[in-house]
């Protein structure tokens, strides 16, 4: 489930936080430096969902000041964070 979306942060750009529960354990995956976001908060997603498109560099530099080239910042953490879950 999409737990939180941040638009055009000065460092991290467009960001999406997904909540997962696996065998009763909560996890958050985060996707940062996105050029576009293709999901909305509360949306259920699966392995075929396109969360967004890669940003960074000249395409997003005007508002993502800590990104110097196109890339995806992906992270996995224990627990649900970044929103209300």
């Amino acid at each position: 489930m999409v737990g939180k979306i941040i638009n055009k942060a000065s460092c991290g750009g467009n960001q999406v936080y997904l909540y997962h529960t696996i065998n009763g354990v909560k996890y958050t995956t985060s996707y940062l430096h996105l050029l576009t976001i293709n999901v909305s908060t509360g949306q259920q997603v699966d392995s075929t969902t396109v969360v967004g498109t890669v940003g960074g560099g000249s395409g997003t530099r005007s508002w993502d000041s800590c990104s110097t080239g196109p890339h995806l910042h992906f992270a996995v953490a224990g627990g649900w964070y970044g929103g209300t879950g």
Side-chain angles (χ1 to χ4, degrees):
M1 174 182 72
V2 179
K4 183 175 185 176
I5 292 174
I6 297 173
N7 291 292
K8 297 186 177 180
S10 63
C11 187
N14 290 322
Q15 305 172 24
V16 174
Y17 296 82
L18 300 182
Y19 296 157
H20 313 268
T21 302
I22 302 170
N23 295 326
V25 180
K26 294 178 179 180
Y27 298 92
T28 299
T29 54
S30 58
Y31 305 77
L32 285 69
H33 303 291
L34 298 172
L35 180 60
T36 63
I37 295 174
N38 299 347
V39 293
S40 56
T41 304
Q43 179 180 341
Q44 294 296 322
V45 298
D46 62 25
S47 62
T48 65
T49 304
V50 177
V51 172
T53 58
V54 172
S58 62
T60 55
R61 189 171 293 163
S62 65
W63 40 268
D64 187 1
S65 62
C66 64
S67 175
T68 59
H71 71 287
L72 172 67
H73 179 130
F74 173 76
V76 179
W80 285 353
Y81 67 91
T84 59

